[in-house]
Amino acid sequence: MSSFVAEVLESAGKLEKDDIGTKIGRLARRVEEVKAEVCNTINKKYEEFIPSLTNGEDLVNQVVEISMEIDVLKSQIENEVQRDLRVAVTEFSELKQQLEKSTVLLSVLTQLHEFDTALETHQQALLEKNYTKSAEHLNKAQHNLTLLKSRKGVELKMLQVLGTELIVQKEKLLYHLGEEWKQLAVWNLPPSPAPTKAEDLFRWTLKTELRLCNMTSRRKSDLETLLLSILQGFAILGELNRKLKFFSQILLKYILKPLVVEPSLDVEIELRANDAVLRFSAVKSKCEHELPAKVYLKITTVLEFLYQHLLHIPLWVSVDRKEKQDINLAELLGGMIWEELSEIIIKNCLVFSIPANSSQLELYEEVIKATDKFEEKLKEMQFLQSHSTDLLKYARNVNVHFASKKCQDVIVTARNLMTSEIHNTVQISADSRISIPKLHSLVKVPMISNIVPSDMVTLRSGKQLSSRTMCLPTCRISQSVQTLMELAYQTLSEATSATPECAVQLFYTVRNMFHLFYDVVPTYHKETLQKLPQLAAIHHNNCMYIAHHLITLGHQFQYRLPSPLCNGAATFVDFVPSFRRLGTECFLAQLRTQRDELLERLSTARNLSSLEDADNYSAANKAVRQVIHQLKRLGKVWQDVLPVHIYCKALGTLLNTAITDIVNKITMLEDITSESADGLYALCRTILEEGPGIFQPLLEESKNKTFQEEIPIYVPKWLKFQELMMVLQANLQELVDRWTDGKGPFAAEFSPIEAKNLIRALFQNTERRAAALAEIK
């Protein structure tokens, strides 16, 4: 009985297994058939564009029926395997693998169905202008396509068709969003390119206009819904940042920057039934740069307009398919424009609001407060998140910027003075002073004790120095150099009341100013200093004037400056030798040039030989006259310019060079006839008579007589020149008498060799000449 039951059960099991196998095979064939029909339908729909709504619904119903049959079979197989696992492991494993394959294929069909449904829903939402729903279903279709690409066994051609269709639909949605955006945010921009003239550029800028939806009108709810749908569509598709970036660039270029740069521009807002319009208006402004508070007000007006009519819309974006992240449009736009906007405000507004004097620093507190309020307002509108930005930091660091601006202004002013004309002069004398404001001492000035030690020895002479011993002599300097020196004193005076960091910076700016003078002036004025004797003399005086003040400049301010300047670092003495050398070398170079010109003129005198010839005498006389003329011209251009002692020494050196050359030429002559001697004497008399008239250092003629009488002091060879004239007119006995055994005036000025050469040239070879030559030893 038991065997019969076993046979019945075994027979029943085989029948049931056979039945399941048959069903699975049939299901597999149906799945393949449905798959083929789906692929064919997709190709027709997305590639051949054949309508197939009914076929699609039939396919969906078939997929649902197959899915239900697979679930029933799967349940039967699992029960059968559990009951008779050892008997049919291999058989049921194959059946299950085949079933799993069918399940995978069914999953692919399901995803294809969801892809198709998402695109259908997207298209319907697009027709209804529900851009948020449209974008969401496009994203869903993209997700399904991504899953399909990860499946094995899906036909590549079909995936390419689906991908192309998805791209087409996405671009179609973006096009519609773009068109809607153009209607809601309309820019009316002036034509390109921008004009170059300032007046034309201002009128060109006035043509800028921005039109947004009026969110204060009665249609606010409808407009807000449409705007939300458009912006949310951009956000879901990942295009919001790009769209907002383009908007921010136009906003900066055509609205925000002109408002900062141009003080004659103001903002005007017009609210219409459906639109809110922002445009520029022209206002009268006398200032070259707008005040920071007014700039902040204009920018705040623009941003409030944007926030009220555009940026207040709440948006979100999917982090993954389950979570959503909120988007703040104002914060997003602020992050795009704030860095560049801050730089524009700093460079075109705050820089020019930095005080020029330390006395105005207290007034700058109003600018700091206005900047702080401006940032607080932007934080309220959520344009800013950080507590302290570069803009506020720049405003608060006013001391640093004041020092930098002050130093820059000082250097620019100094350089302009250095490159100005040298010939505009002023006279300075021992009574000249540079006014210095009252200084406040930062450091206690060391006092000198009046108590004299008992063992101190007093060293005192009967004479005391004059009160003007250390004063500069009267001369003329460039007005620009006097202004430059006043600038140095004013800058150092301002440093005494500035902060320690600023004081140090100002002190070294003054040092840099003198470094700059040393490098710039000789280079910039090189050609004129070489060609014009008067300018060379003025430059010499300029350098001496600066060196004179640099000796005590640091000492005057030392104890009123912060450490380490008050400890001995505040000095300019190291510049003194350089400036003295600079002036001296320039003037000496000019003297060498004038000396060469004098010698060149004397070289045309034909060595002063054979003056009995009219041509030779004429050439010699012309050369001497040119020398006298040149020296008189120099005397005129240096008159009232050089200090008296420098004037007389310079002209005396040049005159001495000329007469030395004449004396040397005469003493080298081998034969001087009586007529030639008379001609030489006449030439020398011209120099003797007109030479003293060269020395006219002062404008008043009566005061120059003293300097003309002292000509032997300034011209070392003047007495020798006079003695030569005596020799040219004397007889042989007079020359012997003036020699007086080497003790007379003739011997004092001429060496024995020169004396003998003159006697041999002037007198014929006789016994008397031989005797006279014998006397000269």
Side-chain angles (χ1 to χ4, degrees):
M1 185 67 181
S2 59
S3 59
F4 176 75
V5 173
E7 288 178 3
V8 171
L9 289 175
E10 183 178 357
S11 175
K14 287 181 180 180
L15 290 174
E16 191 172 352
K17 283 186 283 185
D18 292 339
D19 185 50
I20 291 174
T22 303
K23 289 181 179 180
I24 289 176
R26 181 168 51 83
L27 281 175
R29 287 192 299 272
R30 289 187 62 188
V31 167
E32 291 294 337
E33 291 173 359
V34 172
K35 174 185 173 183
E37 290 182 16
V38 168
C39 292
N40 185 40
T41 303
I42 289 174
N43 287 333
K44 288 181 180 180
K45 182 175 182 180
Y46 295 113
E47 188 172 15
E48 300 174 8
F49 304 102
I50 299 175
S52 54
L53 178 60
T54 307
N55 293 339
E57 292 177 353
D58 292 340
L59 289 174
V60 171
N61 293 332
Q62 292 181 33
V63 169
V64 172
E65 291 177 3
I66 293 172
S67 179
M68 293 176 62
E69 291 184 13
I70 286 174
D71 291 339
V72 173
L73 286 175
K74 188 175 181 181
S75 176
Q76 292 178 0
I77 289 172
E78 287 178 353
N79 294 333
E80 187 66 25
V81 168
Q82 290 176 359
R83 185 178 58 190
D84 198 5
L85 183 60
R86 292 182 180 178
V87 178
V89 170
T90 303
E91 184 178 356
F92 279 98
S93 295
E94 292 175 355
L95 292 174
K96 190 169 185 178
Q97 289 176 1
Q98 189 175 358
L99 182 61
E100 288 176 351
K101 182 178 180 181
S102 299
T103 304
V104 170
L105 290 175
L106 181 61
S107 176
V108 170
L109 295 176
T110 304
Q111 288 163 4
L112 287 171
H113 169 63
E114 291 178 356
F115 177 88
D116 182 68
T117 303
L119 285 187
E120 292 286 351
T121 308
H122 144 72
Q123 291 174 352
Q124 184 62 33
L126 187 59
L127 293 175
E128 298 171 357
K129 292 189 176 182
N130 189 343
Y131 299 114
T132 301
K133 184 178 180 181
S134 176
E136 285 180 331
H137 281 83
L138 270 185
N139 267 4
K140 185 176 180 181
Q142 179 66 58
H143 175 70
N144 288 324
L145 183 60
T146 303
L147 291 177
L148 286 171
K149 290 180 179 179
S150 65
R151 302 285 188 182
K152 294 181 180 180
V154 183
E155 293 183 10
L156 181 61
K157 183 178 180 181
M158 182 179 66
L159 293 178
Q160 291 176 344
V161 172
L162 295 179
T164 302
E165 179 64 19
L166 186 62
I167 292 173
V168 169
Q169 294 301 325
K170 184 176 180 180
E171 292 299 323
K172 183 178 178 181
L173 176 58
L174 287 175
Y175 170 78
H176 283 279
L177 289 174
E179 291 299 313
E180 292 285 359
W181 173 254
K182 289 178 182 179
Q183 298 299 321
L184 296 177
V186 181
W187 286 101
N188 292 326
L189 302 177
S192 298
T196 54
K197 293 183 179 180
E199 295 181 359
D200 296 338
L201 181 62
F202 181 76
R203 289 193 293 268
W204 181 83
T205 306
L206 284 173
K207 297 178 182 179
T208 303
E209 183 180 282
L210 172 61
R211 180 169 56 83
L212 299 176
C213 294
N214 185 0
M215 292 302 173
T216 61
S217 65
R218 296 178 179 178
R219 294 185 55 208
K220 176 183 177 181
S221 58
D222 297 336
L223 294 173
E224 196 169 47
T225 302
L226 179 59
L227 183 61
L228 172 62
S229 179
I230 294 170
L231 294 175
Q232 187 62 65
F234 279 127
I236 294 172
L237 295 178
E239 294 292 323
L240 182 63
N241 280 4
R242 186 180 63 84
K243 208 70 180 177
L244 209 57
K245 182 66 176 178
F246 181 73
F247 181 86
S248 68
Q249 291 172 349
I250 298 178
L251 180 69
L252 275 171
K253 181 178 179 180
Y254 289 96
I255 292 185
L256 296 180
K257 186 174 181 179
L259 285 175
V260 177
V261 175
E262 182 54 63
S264 299
L265 281 180
D266 202 358
V267 181
E268 181 180 298
I269 295 175
E270 179 186 358
L271 298 179
R272 301 173 182 172
N274 298 323
D275 301 331
V277 182
L278 182 144
R279 60 171 66 92
F280 288 138
S281 61
V283 294
K284 293 182 179 180
S285 178
K286 296 181 180 179
C287 56
E288 186 177 356
H289 302 283
E290 188 65 278
L291 296 175
K294 292 185 178 179
V295 169
Y296 297 153
L297 180 61
K298 295 176 184 178
I299 294 175
T300 302
T301 303
V302 173
L303 296 181
E304 283 180 339
F305 171 80
L306 292 176
Y307 185 81
Q308 184 176 11
H309 300 287
L310 176 65
L311 303 178
H312 67 285
I313 303 296
L315 301 178
W316 54 267
V317 65
S318 297
V319 178
D320 52 38
R321 295 189 61 80
K322 295 182 179 179
E323 297 183 8
K324 294 182 179 179
Q325 182 178 347
D326 293 334
I327 298 177
N328 190 313
L329 284 177
E331 180 182 346
L332 195 60
L333 181 65
M336 292 177 179
I337 67 171
W338 180 245
E339 184 176 349
E340 189 173 349
L341 179 60
S342 299
E343 187 176 350
I344 292 172
I345 295 174
I346 290 172
K347 289 184 177 180
N348 297 280
C349 181
L350 286 184
V351 165
F352 302 103
S353 68
I354 300 296
N357 298 311
S358 56
S359 58
Q360 300 174 346
L361 284 175
E362 294 183 1
L363 300 177
Y364 195 77
E365 287 295 326
E366 297 298 324
V367 176
I368 298 176
K369 291 179 181 178
T371 306
D372 196 10
K373 290 181 180 178
F374 173 61
E375 290 199 357
E376 287 297 329
K377 184 66 177 177
L378 296 187
K379 290 172 188 174
E380 289 178 9
M381 293 186 291
Q382 299 178 331
F383 280 97
L384 281 183
Q385 298 297 319
S386 58
H387 297 288
S388 181
T389 67
D390 292 338
L391 187 67
L392 188 57
K393 289 177 182 177
Y394 184 92
R396 287 174 175 170
N397 290 338
V398 61
N399 289 323
V400 176
H401 303 310
F402 163 73
S404 300
K405 181 182 179 182
K406 182 67 178 178
C407 295
Q408 183 179 357
D409 292 344
V410 167
I411 292 297
V412 170
T413 305
R415 195 182 189 286
N416 291 336
L417 291 171
M418 295 171 198
T419 54
S420 62
E421 296 297 335
I422 297 178
H423 62 264
N424 297 326
T425 60
V426 292
Q427 188 180 61
I428 60 165
S429 63
D431 299 325
S432 300
R433 296 287 185 273
I434 293 180
S435 60
I436 306 175
K438 186 177 180 181
L439 304 177
H440 302 283
S441 179
L442 297 177
V443 181
K444 187 176 181 181
V445 180
M447 302 297 293
I448 300 176
S449 175
N450 294 323
I451 302 175
V452 181
S454 58
D455 58 346
M456 179 177 290
V457 179
T458 303
L459 300 176
R460 179 181 300 176
S461 62
K463 296 182 179 180
Q464 293 189 0
L465 295 176
S466 168
S467 60
R468 298 189 175 185
T469 300
M470 298 298 294
C471 293
L472 268 178
T474 302
C475 63
R476 284 195 168 272
I477 64 170
S478 299
Q479 188 175 7
S480 59
V481 169
Q482 186 183 46
T483 307
L484 183 72
M485 208 66 230
E486 291 174 352
L487 178 64
Y489 275 94
Q490 291 169 3
T491 305
L492 290 175
S493 299
E494 196 158 346
T496 60
S497 59
T499 60
E501 297 81 3
C502 182
V504 172
Q505 197 169 350
L506 289 173
F507 171 79
Y508 282 101
T509 298
V510 176
R511 283 187 61 89
N512 291 338
M513 185 174 71
F514 292 115
H515 273 297
L516 193 65
F517 183 96
Y518 188 87
D519 294 331
V520 168
V521 173
T523 304
Y524 186 83
H525 299 282
K526 181 178 180 180
E527 187 175 352
T528 56
L529 292 177
Q530 290 175 347
K531 292 182 178 180
L532 303 177
Q534 187 182 49
L535 295 190
I538 295 172
H539 178 63
H540 166 269
N541 296 346
N542 291 342
C543 293
M544 295 302 169
Y545 176 79
I546 293 175
H548 177 76
H549 279 279
L550 291 179
I551 295 174
T552 57
L553 182 60
H555 179 74
Q556 294 177 65
F557 295 92
Q558 178 176 352
Y559 296 109
R560 294 168 177 84
L561 294 171
S563 179
L565 299 177
C566 61
N567 299 327
T571 182
F572 296 89
V573 176
D574 53 312
F575 284 121
V576 174
S578 300
F579 272 87
R580 286 177 175 171
R581 184 170 57 253
L582 181 66
T584 302
E585 288 178 353
C586 175
F587 192 60
L588 287 177
Q590 185 59 232
L591 287 179
R592 285 191 290 269
T593 301
Q594 297 302 322
R595 177 201 63 190
D596 294 340
E597 290 182 8
L598 288 174
L599 295 176
E600 184 179 356
R601 288 185 168 89
L602 288 174
S603 67
T604 63
R606 301 180 182 179
N607 292 326
L608 302 176
S609 62
S610 304
L611 294 188
E612 64 274 8
D613 183 6
D615 292 339
N616 289 346
Y617 181 80
S618 176
N621 185 54
K622 181 180 179 181
V624 170
R625 289 290 177 184
Q626 287 179 342
V627 167
I628 294 298
H629 175 74
Q630 179 180 344
L631 291 174
K632 285 185 176 181
R633 181 175 60 84
L634 288 174
K636 285 294 183 182
V637 298
W638 287 344
Q639 185 183 54
D640 195 43
V641 174
L642 285 170
V644 172
H645 68 287
I646 299 294
Y647 176 95
C648 294
K649 189 174 181 181
L651 281 178
T653 300
L654 292 174
L655 180 57
N656 188 70
T657 300
I659 64 175
T660 299
D661 186 70
I662 292 173
V663 170
N664 290 338
K665 281 181 168 62
I666 294 174
T667 56
M668 292 174 65
L669 293 174
E670 294 181 356
D671 184 23
I672 303 175
T673 64
S674 59
E675 293 179 356
S676 182
D678 291 339
L680 290 173
Y681 180 81
L683 294 177
C684 293
R685 187 177 59 191
T686 301
I687 296 176
L688 186 69
E689 292 175 352
E690 299 191 21
I694 296 171
F695 293 87
Q696 296 182 0
L698 302 177
L699 294 175
E700 298 181 23
E701 290 290 339
S702 58
K703 295 182 178 180
N704 292 326
K705 188 175 181 180
T706 303
F707 304 108
Q708 295 170 0
E709 293 173 351
E710 295 175 349
I711 189 170
I713 299 175
Y714 308 115
V715 186
K717 298 296 182 180
W718 187 256
L719 296 178
K720 185 174 183 177
F721 184 69
Q722 289 177 319
E723 187 64 23
L724 177 63
M725 293 178 64
M726 294 292 296
V727 171
L728 292 172
Q729 293 295 303
N731 57 36
L732 194 57
Q733 185 59 45
E734 288 176 344
L735 292 179
V736 174
D737 293 341
R738 295 184 70 82
W739 186 262
T740 318
D741 296 330
K743 298 179 181 179
F746 188 26
E749 302 299 334
F750 291 92
S751 67
I753 296 175
E754 290 175 332
K756 288 179 179 181
N757 287 341
L758 284 172
I759 292 173
R760 290 190 184 102
L762 288 168
F763 302 99
Q764 294 180 353
N765 188 8
T766 63
E767 292 181 359
R768 290 182 62 196
R769 191 185 79 169
L773 291 174
E775 291 288 334
I776 297 175
K777 299 177 181 178

